[in-house]
C-alpha cells in the first residue's frame, strides 16, 4: 500500500508561481513512477508530468516549459514547480504513483487546490 500526501496549493495571482509537493510512504517499489495530474471543474483529469525513478521525466505538451517536475529520493517526495500561472491553470492537482509508467496511476493522493485569480 502507498500513501500520497500533496501540499503547496493555494491562491495565486496570474503570472505567479507555486511549488506543489507530494510525499509518498509505504512500499517504495510502488512509487518508482510518480506523476502529476489536474482536474478543473467540469473537465476530465489530465496528465501534466511524471518522474520515473528520478532518472527521466515526461511532460504533457501544454506545459511548454512553465511547469517542472523534480524528485528528492531521500525524502520520497516529488515536486511540481508551477511558473507563470494562468487562470486556466485553476484546478485540483493530484499526485499519482506506481511501479511502472503503465501502472503509474495505481495510487492517488487527495489533491490540492490551485486557484489562479486576481
Amino acid at each position: 500500500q502507498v500513501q500520497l500526501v500533496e501540499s503547496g496549493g493555494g491562491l495565486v495571482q496570474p503570472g505567479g508561481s507555486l511549488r506543489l509537493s507530494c510525499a509518498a510512504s509505504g512500499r517504495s517499489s510502488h512509487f518508482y513512477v510518480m506523476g502529476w495530474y489536474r482536474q478543473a471543474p467540469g473537465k476530465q483529469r489530465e496528465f501534466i508530468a511524471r518522474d520515473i525513478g528520478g532518472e527521466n521525466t515526461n511532460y504533457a505538451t501544454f506545459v511548454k516549459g512553465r511547469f517542472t517536475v523534480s524528485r528528492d529520493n531521500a525524502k520520497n517526495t516529488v515536486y511540481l514547480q508551477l511558473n507563470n500561472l494562468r487562470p486556466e491553470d485553476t484546478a485540483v492537482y493530484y499526485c499519482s504513483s506506481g511501479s511502472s509508467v503503465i501502472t503509474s496511476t495505481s495510487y492517488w493522493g487527495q489533491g490540492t487546490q490551485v486557484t489562479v485569480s486576481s
Side-chain angles (χ1 to χ4, degrees):
Q1 193 72 358
V2 171
Q3 292 77 45
L4 303 173
V5 179
E6 300 103 329
S7 61
L11 174 64
V12 63
Q13 292 186 342
S17 297
L18 283 174
R19 189 177 80 155
L20 309 182
S21 300
C22 174
S25 60
R27 189 169 180 179
S28 61
S29 62
H30 289 189
F31 47 87
Y32 177 71
V33 181
M34 297 185 74
W36 287 98
Y37 292 73
R38 69 183 185 183
Q39 188 166 18
K43 294 187 177 182
Q44 290 188 334
R45 191 170 298 189
E46 64 178 346
F47 168 74
I48 300 171
R50 67 170 67 94
D51 178 283
I52 305 170
E55 298 175 350
N56 288 299
T57 57
N58 301 139
Y59 291 93
T61 54
F62 76 83
V63 169
K64 295 182 179 178
R66 294 192 301 127
F67 302 167
T68 304
V69 64
S70 61
R71 184 172 186 146
D72 185 335
N73 282 324
K75 296 181 178 180
N76 293 333
T77 299
V78 68
Y79 304 95
L80 186 66
Q81 178 69 39
L82 309 173
N83 294 328
N84 191 22
L85 284 162
R86 306 164 181 168
E88 54 264 37
D89 294 319
T90 295
V92 179
Y93 284 67
Y94 295 92
C95 175
S96 72
S97 79
S99 58
S100 69
V101 172
I102 293 175
T103 61
S104 61
T105 57
S106 296
Y107 303 93
W108 291 95
Q110 82 286 355
T112 185
Q113 176 71 45
V114 171
T115 302
V116 185
S117 175
S118 56

